Amino acid sequence: MSTVVETDVLIVGSGPAGASAALALSTYGVPNIVVTRYASLADTPRAHITNQRTMEVLRDLGVERDVIAQATPQHLMGNTTFCTGLAGEELGRVRSWGNDPLVQAAHELASPTRMCDMPQHLMEPVLVDAAVARGTLLRFQTEYLSHTQDADGVTATVRDRLRGDTYEIRAKYLIGADGGRSRVAEDAGLPMGGQMGVAGSINIVFDMDLAKYTAHRPSTLYWVLAPGATVGGIGAGLVRCVRPWTEWLIVWGYDVGAGAPDLTTDYAESIVRKLVGDDEIPVRIKSSSAWTVNEMYAESYSKGRVFCAGDAVHRHPPSNGLGSNTSIQDSYNLAWKLKLVLDGTADPGLLASYTAERAPIGKQIVTRANKSIGETAPIFEALDGLSPGTPEQLWANIDARKDANEAAEKQRAKLREAIAFKVYEFNAHGVDLNQRYASDAIVPDGTPDPGFARDPELYHQPSSRPGARLPHAWITSGTRTLSTLDTVGKGRFTLLTGIGGDGWVRAARAQEIEVATVVIGPGQQYEDPYGDWARLSEVSDAGALLVRLDGFIAFRHASAAPDAGKLLSETLRRILGHA
């Protein structure tokens, strides 16, 4: 066996979780190696919806503009359409992904970023290229085989798939980001809840010029109610735009008990024709693959020095577009903690907060994504499309909604209501942004939790409570306008205060670790011309918020404190595991 390769962090997998872990670690100056058994990065679109919180993460890591340059913008994503085929009858639409005027306003108030559609085969190169440029060592065709760990590190055995030989990589920590069939998670023995293989689905990627059916109602998703659409799959046939309006991906279900069909080119083309409804437009099938709808989540994300992220610990259908978003956010949460432990700033106990903070989020999004599948059934029910019958009967039921009688009027109302309820899948702004962490890396301020004033899945509610993401507000610095989120992150803790917060500033500057200071108020480095920050901060001008490297609030004090230095020191010691 050849010489052992050494690094601080070994990352298995180059998908969104692995690539973003590498990017964050290299940005923080932590040596890391990424191994992937494949010869290239993703070659199919797969994950695509990129929400505001993920864009905030990418903004902090310096690649937001690279993503925006290649992504389909938000305004072309939002006419989610239900139809009998792209060339067929339209049954209704949902203004989605922040494109409803009221939801759009909420998006603009919530974040300096905009969600977009960034297919995985475009996202991965952005993340990996930046990671490699900052120091990540990337090894393709390198398959993880096993690992052992001891008190000082992890030794992984990998196989070079080109040469055929095996060798060892010695790391202080191992991140398993190797997807829904994670061997790292299996070898680590992470406890899982839920079940795999709930339903069967097929992805078909194809080129077809569908502008005449889609450009006037631009959307990321077109849902097709066709005979057979309720068998397996994700609730209906789906035609997903990859690149407007010529590259597409279809999701079609199959009976998981009977096994996947033979994915020939002829079969794939027949499904494309069925959902598009036009036999004349040329089509080029690029790939077909079968997969299963899963409802599984890890109850613990780590074992010793081994940590898992992304689909390795939460496995679910693509509903709500939460997969790659949660994966990237997992890695962002873990990376700064590894950085502080590896450079000696924090005790290894800090790493326990990774599971405490991210496992509840993983369970939530698995439940939400699977629930969204079930929320498609009422659309079929409104058309009597779930009862046994022939395709002709389904088309007759659909036609019946056009009749001028009381029964048809009731049917139309039922259909509108069922389609409108899909807002929980397509506009779940609260699911995207209302994350609240509770762990030893968060110091409660003793105030009662007021909960949420509105539905926490649909509506974002900003909060400065410890455990919440720092609220966004536009502030100014000289001639610059920037977000409060732009003042935090960047690999260090940040303390925000206002006029009268001099004691907090002195306390921050006296700490043994770097704590950046942000003073907001008239005549200060940062000003609040709109008054938004004064409203959102929920502390007095002399109060303070301590924000972690990931933009989450770790500590809040509502007013000035004569013992600010002691309070801040004790808080940081507690967060870093030294208390």
Side-chain angles (χ1 to χ4, degrees), residues 17-76:
S20 54
L23 174 57
L25 289 169
S26 287
T27 302
Y28 299 147
V30 177
N32 65 91
I33 295 174
V34 174
V35 299
T36 173
R37 68 190 304 272
Y38 301 107
S40 67
L41 300 178
D43 58 0
T44 58
R46 283 179 267 181
H48 61 118
I49 299 292
T50 307
N51 66 32
Q52 284 182 295
R53 178 56 191 156
T54 298
M55 292 301 289
E56 289 172 359
V57 170
L58 301 178
R59 186 184 184 96
D60 182 47
L61 295 177
V63 295
E64 179 192 22
R65 290 182 180 178
D66 299 299
V67 171
I68 291 172
Q70 297 189 59
T72 298
Q74 186 174 14
H75 72 275
L76 294 180

Side-chain angles (χ1 to χ4, degrees), residues 474-521:
W474 291 115
I475 57 178
T476 58
S477 180
T479 59
R480 290 192 305 140
T481 298
L482 68 162
S483 169
T484 46
L485 299 180
D486 294 327
T487 69
V488 303
K490 302 173 183 63
R492 75 278 196 272
F493 285 94
T494 307
L495 184 134
L496 285 79
T497 187
I499 295 175
D502 294 351
W504 292 111
V505 173
R506 288 192 298 271
R509 292 173 177 168
Q511 299 304 311
E512 294 181 2
I513 67 169
E514 181 185 4
V515 180
T517 56
V518 175
V519 182
I520 303 175

Side-chain angles (χ1 to χ4, degrees), residues 335-346 350 493 549 576:
W336 71 268
K337 297 170 182 177
L338 285 172
K339 181 251 188 190
L340 294 183
V341 169
L342 285 164
D343 69 15
T345 300
L350 171 64
F493 285 94
L549 286 67
L576 299 174

Side-chain angles (χ1 to χ4, degrees), residues 52 106-107 109-111 427-436 448-465 467-472 535-538 552-553 556:
Q52 284 182 295
H107 275 235
L109 290 169
S111 176
N427 276 317
H429 201 210
V431 175
D432 293 345
L433 293 181
N434 280 343
Q435 297 174 6
R436 300 285 191 270
D449 186 348
F452 293 93
R454 296 195 292 175
D455 189 320
E457 289 195 317
L458 289 184
Y459 303 104
H460 166 54
Q461 180 173 309
S463 173
S464 72
R465 288 181 58 77
R469 155 189 161 276
L470 181 71
H472 154 70
R535 174 176 52 84
L536 292 168
S537 69
E538 299 177 314
F552 276 75
I553 298 165
R556 178 173 72 170

Side-chain angles (χ1 to χ4, degrees), residues 15 21 25 40 42 196-197 242 254 260 267 291 299 388 391 441 447 518 571:
L25 289 169
S40 67
M196 296 282 279
V242 177
Y254 69 88
Y267 173 81
W291 52 282
E299 295 164 356
T447 61
V518 175
T571 295

Side-chain angles (χ1 to χ4, degrees), residues 63-391:
V63 295
E64 179 192 22
R65 290 182 180 178
D66 299 299
V67 171
I68 291 172
Q70 297 189 59
T72 298
Q74 186 174 14
H75 72 275
L76 294 180
M77 295 169 60
N79 278 286
T80 298
T81 301
F82 292 85
C83 56
T84 62
L86 293 193
E89 285 195 54
E90 182 175 308
L91 304 173
R93 303 181 197 177
V94 178
R95 295 184 181 94
S96 307
W97 313 121
N99 282 284
D100 178 281
L102 294 177
V103 180
Q104 184 177 32
H107 275 235
E108 292 187 2
L109 290 169
S111 176
T113 68
R114 295 291 172 269
M115 70 186 311
C116 60
D117 189 299
M118 183 67 167
Q120 188 169 334
H121 68 302
L122 300 179
M123 177 70 84
E124 284 185 17
V126 169
L127 301 177
V128 170
D129 287 353
V132 170
R134 299 176 195 181
T136 293
L137 302 177
L138 172 64
R139 296 194 170 194
F140 287 112
Q141 295 275 41
T142 303
E143 181 178 8
Y144 162 87
L145 298 178
S146 64
H147 75 264
T148 59
Q149 58 176 312
D150 51 50
D152 300 315
V154 183
T155 302
T157 301
V158 300
R159 181 171 71 92
D160 187 306
R161 300 183 75 193
L162 286 176
R163 295 191 307 252
D165 62 316
T166 62
Y167 61 97
E168 292 181 342
I169 301 177
R170 176 71 174 172
K172 294 172 183 174
Y173 293 96
L174 168 63
I175 299 177
D178 48 338
R181 293 183 292 274
S182 171
R183 292 187 61 179
V184 176
E186 182 179 353
D187 290 348
L190 298 188
M192 297 280 181
Q195 58 182 324
M196 296 282 279
V198 176
S201 282
I202 298 162
N203 280 2
I204 301 169
V205 182
F206 62 101
D207 289 334
M208 195 175 193
D209 186 352
L210 296 176
K212 70 178 180 178
Y213 298 125
T214 58
H216 64 286
R217 49 182 179 181
S219 182
T220 287
L221 305 175
Y222 300 84
W223 294 82
V224 181
L225 279 68
T230 58
V231 177
I234 54 175
L238 174 64
V239 183
R240 175 192 136 196
C241 179
V242 177
R243 304 300 283 172
W245 306 108
T246 56
E247 186 176 356
W248 301 86
L249 183 151
I250 271 177
V251 181
W252 184 250
Y254 69 88
D255 182 351
V256 72
D262 187 7
L263 300 180
T264 63
T265 300
D266 287 345
Y267 173 81
E269 184 170 334
S270 72
I271 299 300
V272 170
R273 297 294 184 191
K274 181 187 186 97
L275 271 62
V276 171
D278 187 324
D279 293 337
E280 302 301 322
I281 303 176
V283 58
R284 181 171 75 93
I285 305 298
K286 299 172 76 170
S287 68
S288 301
S289 59
W291 52 282
T292 59
V293 175
N294 303 313
E295 189 170 0
M296 183 169 280
Y297 48 86
E299 295 164 356
S300 174
Y301 282 17
S302 67
K303 180 70 173 294
R305 289 175 172 265
V306 177
F307 296 82
C308 287
D311 289 355
V313 285
H314 37 78
R315 305 164 189 178
H316 54 90
S319 315
N320 287 76
L322 296 167
S324 62
N325 291 287
T326 311
S327 300
I328 291 170
Q329 293 165 37
D330 284 347
S331 295
Y332 187 59
N333 180 285
L334 176 61
W336 71 268
K337 297 170 182 177
L338 285 172
K339 181 251 188 190
L340 294 183
V341 169
L342 285 164
D343 69 15
T345 300
D347 183 86
L350 171 64
L351 299 173
S353 66
Y354 173 57
T355 286
E357 294 177 356
R358 294 304 299 172
I361 304 300
K363 182 177 180 180
Q364 177 198 15
I365 63 106
V366 168
T367 301
R368 178 65 259 170
N370 279 277
K371 191 175 180 181
S372 290
I373 290 180
E375 290 167 354
T376 302
I379 299 174
F380 279 89
E381 290 172 1
L383 301 167
D384 295 324
L386 294 177
S387 56
T390 63

